[in-house]
Amino acid sequence: MGLMGLMSLRAEAQNGFNLPYSQYGLGVSELPYNMPMVSRMGGVTYTSSGNNYINPFNPASYSAINMESFVFDIGFNVQTSTLKSGTKSAKDADGNISYLAVGMPVTKWMKVAAGLMPYSTIDYLTVVNTTGADGNTYKTSASGDGGANELFAGLGFNIIDNKTSHLQAGFNVGYLTGKIVKLLSYTSSDTNFIPERKAKELRLGNAVLDFGVQYRQALGEKYTLGVGLTYKPHMKMKVKEIDLIYTYYASTESLLDTIFPTRGEDAETRGLLEQASTVGVGLSLERNEQWMVAADATFGAWQGIRYTEPEGRSIFGESAMRAGAYSSYAMGFEKMVNMNAANYFGRIGWSLGAHMEQGLMYVSANSGDKRVDQWGVGAGLSLPMRKGRSLLTVSVGYSSMGDKDILQRECVTFGIAVSSCERWFVKRKYN
């Protein structure tokens, strides 16, 4: 179903967001901006590291975890969303856990981290009512539910660690898991019209990889230059897909007759899931743990993960979306936490930043293919907890995706994260 068709649809009641863009592929991904530690700086991740939080977007950062420490991170967010198309608009709100992660040392030169992140969401319900030349009313309903989560585990290695230079490398092994169900149904006021429903179910269970490097070089006594590199290799994976077309009683939705698969055909098949080859580059300049300015750039053949249906099994018809070249840019500033300040307010850190993404997807519109871009801003506070290294981070972010000619989604995200850093592996000494 084309996106311009969606613009004339009216959303009906449902739980969570109504996200029309999520009808494509594996849905809409909020990463990394749903994570307070990232959204507070507008999306900067590649050079970020700390001994009291986990940065899964560059696994080399795990090397910053201190010996004898155990780091536990958990984040929450609440989002308010406004959908706009022409002169029409609709509002929605929802809240979720944004991530969960733990990290600890294995040896002095090797650290480990693991966690869970919601990767993407599919949640939409749209309805089109049309009047045919015969005077009957025809209703087309499209809905989708589900999404993907990513379990990850990674290692970070200290390669060079001296007073002036620090080189770390790392890798993540991720596992995408989840179930996605999409429905498309047709009904009519004509009692002679037999309602039809099309159903597609995807079941994910696939491993993905990414690699990272971070390098820091002292520039005199006051400044440090940081460089971050990340790489995701192109990967092809198989996904289980189940397709079904059937007629049903509109009043009870009980099955009448199966149209597809016919006798001799199998409802279950395998689709193709691909991870794009993606490169990320980051630069930062820090002054004596007082402040830091950083910038990131990401380039890929398309954004994230792409799903391709098996040939001849597109029961919903040709998709209105195509993948294209993707790039994103982020810049942020941070006044760093100062645990040696004379009073608590002097210890508090604050940050702000902005990001821009080009080529999230290309969708078919009346005027031809249109690129769906996104931009946003963010800010946050880092609040030290007790006398240790633990942090409470609060953040707020705004993002805009698409435009009113097709569909614009404006989203405000409020986040809170607890990064607990405790000394667990200390050998007690007794006199």
Side-chain angles (χ1 to χ4, degrees):
M1 178 180 293
L3 189 61
M4 289 309 294
L6 281 174
M7 297 310 95
S8 62
L9 309 187
R10 59 180 178 86
E12 296 190 342
Q14 65 174 47
N15 294 323
F17 278 135
N18 185 12
L19 301 173
Y21 280 122
S22 70
Q23 68 173 305
Y24 304 118
L26 296 188
V28 172
S29 177
E30 307 290 352
L31 292 175
Y33 312 113
N34 62 333
M35 299 178 65
M37 293 299 295
V38 178
S39 64
R40 69 188 177 92
M41 285 191 68
V44 173
T45 61
Y46 297 141
T47 59
S48 297
S49 65
N51 59 19
N52 52 2
Y53 68 90
I54 306 297
N55 172 21
F57 301 102
N58 189 336
S61 66
Y62 306 155
S63 300
I65 298 173
N66 285 340
M67 291 298 295
E68 304 173 347
S69 294
F70 179 85
V71 181
F72 174 79
D73 271 7
I74 186 169
F76 307 88
N77 64 68
V78 175
Q79 295 177 311
T80 62
S81 177
T82 302
L83 298 176
K84 297 180 179 180
S85 176
T87 60
K88 298 180 180 180
S89 65
K91 295 183 181 294
D92 214 336
D94 199 9
N96 293 286
I97 294 178
S98 55
Y99 71 103
L100 177 68
V102 296
M104 67 186 75
V106 179
T107 67
K108 184 177 181 180
W109 55 271
M110 182 171 65
K111 315 296 169 61
V112 63
L116 171 66
M117 299 183 293
Y119 181 84
S120 67
T121 301
I122 289 184
D123 192 358
Y124 64 92
L125 173 58
T126 54
V127 179
V128 168
N129 290 309
T130 58
T131 301
D134 54 6
N136 292 314
T137 300
Y138 296 88
K139 182 170 76 171
T140 303
S141 301
S143 64
D145 183 64
N149 296 309
E150 182 178 358
L151 292 164
F152 71 90
L155 293 174
F157 306 92
N158 281 313
I159 299 174
I160 298 175
D161 190 7
N162 55 50
K163 292 183 178 180
T164 60
S165 302
H166 304 272
L167 175 63
Q168 293 87 30
F171 69 90
N172 278 331
V173 177
Y175 184 75
L176 292 176
T177 180
K179 184 173 76 170
I180 295 169
V181 177
K182 298 181 180 181
L183 300 174
L184 185 65
S185 62
Y186 309 93
T187 58
S188 171
S189 59
D190 182 2
T191 56
N192 295 319
F193 178 83
I194 300 176
E196 180 183 85
R197 172 167 290 183
K198 300 179 179 181
K200 180 183 292 291
E201 180 179 307
L202 302 179
R203 296 178 182 175
L204 307 177
N206 305 92
V208 293
L209 295 171
D210 65 278
F211 305 89
V213 174
Q214 288 185 339
Y215 178 74
R216 284 179 168 77
Q217 177 65 49
L219 303 177
E221 297 181 355
K222 294 183 178 181
Y223 296 95
T224 301
L225 176 68
V227 179
L229 298 173
T230 64
Y231 174 66
K232 291 185 177 182
H234 179 227
M235 299 181 67
K236 292 185 176 181
M237 303 158 278
K238 295 294 184 180
V239 175
K240 181 185 294 185
E241 175 179 312
I242 300 174
D243 297 327
L244 188 65
I245 303 176
Y246 57 91
T247 57
Y248 62 97
Y249 286 112
S251 58
T252 63
E253 296 195 0
S254 59
L255 184 65
L256 272 177
D257 185 36
T258 301
I259 301 173
F260 179 87
T262 59
R263 183 173 297 180
E265 293 181 310
D266 193 348
E268 183 177 312
T269 185
R270 297 284 176 174
L272 179 63
L273 192 68
E274 291 182 88
Q275 174 179 270
S277 176
T278 307
V279 175
V281 181
L283 291 173
S284 65
L285 181 65
E286 178 183 328
R287 173 166 177 160
N288 284 353
E289 299 184 350
Q290 296 178 15
W291 55 261
M292 180 179 70
V293 60
D296 283 357
T298 309
F299 307 95
W302 64 85
Q303 184 200 32
I305 299 292
R306 178 175 68 178
Y307 178 71
T308 304
E309 294 178 305
E311 187 175 354
R313 294 293 290 263
S314 182
I315 64 173
F316 291 158
E318 184 178 354
S319 174
M321 187 276 289
R322 68 176 178 86
Y326 167 79
S327 61
S328 70
Y329 309 91
M331 178 173 287
F333 174 86
E334 178 182 17
K335 184 270 181 185
M336 306 177 79
V337 171
N338 180 9
M339 297 303 295
N340 297 318
N343 58 67
Y344 181 78
F345 289 102
R347 300 174 194 169
I348 295 174
W350 58 268
S351 52
L352 51 85
H355 72 271
M356 177 180 64
E357 299 192 31
Q358 297 178 318
L360 290 169
M361 64 181 75
Y362 294 76
V363 297
S364 298
N366 292 336
S367 57
D369 284 0
K370 296 202 67 172
R371 190 179 71 188
V372 178
D373 294 336
Q374 177 174 295
W375 66 272
V377 295
L381 294 175
S382 299
L383 309 172
M385 300 169 61
R386 300 179 296 179
K387 295 182 179 180
R389 297 186 300 272
S390 299
L391 287 177
L392 176 68
T393 301
V394 293
S395 66
V396 59
Y398 168 85
S399 65
S400 177
M401 178 180 179
D403 59 62
K404 292 182 181 179
D405 291 339
I406 43 175
L407 175 67
Q408 183 179 14
R409 180 196 177 204
E410 294 181 338
C411 187
V412 178
T413 303
F414 301 93
I416 184 169
V418 177
S419 301
S420 176
C421 183
E422 303 294 338
R423 294 169 63 88
W424 275 29
F425 305 104
V426 178
K427 292 183 180 180
R428 303 292 181 183
K429 294 183 179 180
Y430 297 92
N431 293 325

